[in-house]
Amino acid sequence: MKKNVIVGQSGGPTAVINASLYGVVYEALNREDSFGTVYGMINGIEGFLQDKIMDMKPLDASGELELIKTTPGSYLGSCRYKLPEDLNDAVYPLLFRKFSDYQIGYFFYIGGNDSMDTVSKLSRYAEQIHSDIRFIGIPKTIDNDLVLTDHTPGFGSAAKYVASTVREIVTDASVYDNKKSVTIVEIMGRHAGWLTAASALARRYKGDNPLLIYLPETSFSQDEFLKQAEQALKTTPNLVVCISEGIHTADGTFICEFASDVSVDTFGHKMLTGSGKYLENLVKEKLGVKVRSIELNVCQRCSSAMLSATDLKEAIASGAYGVKSALDGETGKMIAFKRIAETPYTITYIPEDVNVICNQEKAVPSEWITKDGCDVTDAFIRYATPLVQGEVTIPKENGIPKFAYRR
């Protein structure tokens, strides 16, 4: 008897998380000889616990599945549900009874670090009870901080958005040259500065804005920042500075904590915002120049207007490869990207042990950050440039992007 497939999405969305969903569903539906029904979890594992699932096959017949490819957000809905550390918790036998009720043989979860933690726990519990269900993680995160993979789906499109938007900001900031000004752009990135580093792709020539880039991989000194900004203003009167939301002092205090108290999410992560505003007020007080701060916020992860064709293609391929890997007998794995060549840019897909990947974070290498801590090197530029290549035509309706909606 053919076993059924179930797929879910978890954590913060990206512009291509639905492309990965498409990859899983399309590949599974086209292997009818191997699979039964292909289900989607509504709101991830949390929704599954409430029996919130849907049959994905009608989406293919209606054409909605094709539309999903270029729809941002999480089509199936998301969650931030953390499974207990103790595998003896009652939730595990409950989940596996539900898997049995729905005759699930293959479980795919699309997400970042915390989602890989879910895959790890479920696969370890399955091994403990001798279940033959196969659990596969499909990577997703604009933060690009998963280990054992060259990069993650979602990062390329977010990097393209950041670089394009920062270039627009730089162009706007340069129209007046009679007075000095500072524009501070706050970009997502708690502990890893990959996305903020991508702002360097906005430069048109050596010495162009953004002149200063600060990542959370290095300690941030307010005094050094003011000195570097003051020095930069001597040659660049309309200075643009890009910072990660997670920049922090040497003792680990987030800069945004100087502005206000921060709350935490269900995984214990601090909710970071306000670093740019704090530095805006600092520059205004200490340097006495015109200054503004801009927080790119959620647009970094949800913009379909600047999709990277490379990112979209790889997101679909990673989902499809996950299905192939499960059929080959893999379980407890995440589909990782391995870069084969720079010119022409070439990658391959490999299953990596999700138990090694989860609960770790991949930082920007120290050698890709300049010694003064306020810029990135050419090595990062060479790494990131291929990931933002290619344009994607988004279906339109009355001049506005046409997205798939779950009804």
Side-chain angles (χ1 to χ4, degrees):
M1 181 178 176
K2 290 183 291 188
K3 293 292 185 71
N4 298 330
V5 171
I6 195 158
V7 57
Q9 299 167 304
S10 179
T14 77
V16 298
I17 189 173
N18 288 328
S20 293
L21 175 65
Y22 170 90
V24 171
V25 174
Y26 183 86
E27 186 70 22
L29 288 176
N30 281 275
R31 291 177 177 263
E32 292 182 342
D33 56 330
S34 302
F35 303 120
T37 303
V38 179
Y39 290 114
M41 286 179 267
I42 308 300
N43 297 118
I45 197 74
E46 187 173 23
F48 180 71
L49 281 166
Q50 303 166 32
D51 295 301
K52 294 166 63 177
I53 67 171
M54 64 180 288
D55 185 348
M56 301 297 284
K57 189 170 184 177
L59 299 178
D60 191 27
S62 68
E64 188 86 345
L65 188 60
E66 282 296 314
L67 203 56
I68 282 174
K69 278 195 298 190
T70 52
T71 296
S74 297
Y75 179 81
L76 290 172
S78 188
C79 70
R80 291 193 181 276
Y81 182 83
K82 186 175 178 64
L83 284 173
E85 298 297 329
D86 184 3
L87 295 185
N88 294 313
D89 190 275
V91 74
Y92 291 101
L94 172 61
L95 279 167
F96 277 73
R97 281 198 298 273
K98 289 182 178 293
F99 290 148
S100 178
D101 290 344
Y102 291 110
Q103 299 178 7
I104 301 299
Y106 306 88
F107 178 103
F108 301 94
Y109 215 37
I110 309 167
N113 212 315
D114 295 322
S115 304
M116 295 309 114
D117 179 68
T118 296
V119 175
S120 169
K121 287 169 178 171
L122 291 175
S123 62
R124 285 188 283 123
Y125 184 80
E127 183 179 19
Q128 185 174 296
I129 65 170
H130 307 291
S131 168
D132 60 359
I133 301 175
R134 294 165 191 171
F135 294 90
I136 300 291
I138 310 298
K140 171 270 346 169
T141 176
I142 65 170
D143 293 323
N144 199 37
D145 60 352
L146 292 175
V147 301
L148 300 188
T149 184
D150 181 80
H151 58 281
T152 56
F155 171 66
S157 293
K160 186 168 188 165
Y161 176 88
V162 166
S164 301
T165 303
V166 169
R167 178 169 285 189
E168 291 172 343
I169 291 169
V170 167
T171 302
D172 181 85
S174 67
V175 298
Y176 302 109
D177 63 358
N178 58 334
K179 288 186 178 180
K180 292 181 178 181
S181 69
V182 177
T183 302
I184 300 168
V185 185
E186 181 181 332
I187 299 166
M188 285 181 174
R190 183 187 311 275
H191 299 300
W194 295 97
L195 204 53
T196 303
S199 65
L201 299 175
R203 294 170 179 154
R204 297 157 296 176
Y205 52 83
K206 188 175 178 62
D208 191 18
N209 271 314
L211 212 58
L212 301 175
I213 299 174
Y214 297 95
L215 313 183
E217 281 80 358
T218 59
S219 297
F220 184 86
S221 165
Q222 297 183 52
D223 290 339
E224 281 302 307
F225 162 67
L226 290 170
K227 289 178 184 176
Q228 290 164 338
E230 191 169 32
Q231 182 64 31
L233 282 166
K234 293 178 180 178
T235 56
T236 308
N238 299 301
L239 176 64
V240 176
V241 179
C242 291
I243 65 166
S244 291
E245 63 184 355
I247 55 172
H248 56 83
T249 59
D251 66 1
T253 303
F254 290 110
I255 294 301
C256 63
E257 293 183 271
F258 290 109
S260 62
D261 294 332
V262 297
S263 57
V264 297
D265 63 18
T266 53
F267 285 90
H269 305 316
K270 289 185 176 181
M271 309 288 280
L272 307 181
T273 184
S275 298
K277 192 66 179 177
Y278 175 79
L279 293 182
E280 173 190 336
N281 291 328
L282 183 68
V283 168
K284 187 183 299 180
E285 177 188 349
K286 300 295 184 181
L287 301 185
V289 299
K290 180 182 176 182
V291 57
R292 72 176 65 183
S293 60
I294 300 168
E295 185 182 340
L296 297 192
N297 210 299
V298 72
C299 299
Q300 298 158 88
R301 74 184 191 195
C302 73
S303 174
S304 66
M306 298 181 193
L307 275 174
S308 155
T310 297
D311 195 24
L312 185 73
K313 176 184 175 182
E314 293 176 350
I316 294 170
S318 63
Y321 191 84
V323 174
K324 296 173 187 174
S325 296
L327 280 176
D328 288 341
E330 298 285 5
T331 189
K333 300 293 177 67
M334 185 194 83
I335 305 308
F337 296 1
K338 182 178 180 181
R339 193 175 298 214
I340 302 299
E342 292 284 355
T343 309
Y345 165 72
T346 311
I347 67 163
T348 190
Y349 306 91
I350 55 174
E352 292 281 10
D353 187 350
V354 75
N355 300 303
V356 178
I357 293 169
C358 67
N359 302 314
Q360 294 194 62
E361 289 180 308
K362 180 180 70 176
V364 177
S366 58
E367 61 269 24
W368 289 4
I369 303 172
T370 57
K371 293 188 183 303
D372 58 10
C374 63
D375 203 354
V376 295
T377 68
D378 289 342
F380 173 81
I381 302 298
R382 291 192 297 270
Y383 164 83
T385 298
L387 309 183
V388 302
Q389 300 304 308
E391 309 306 316
V392 177
T393 300
I394 309 297
K396 296 290 197 305
E397 187 174 54
N398 297 322
I400 304 298
K402 185 179 181 181
F403 296 146
Y405 293 100
R406 178 169 46 83
R407 296 171 179 84

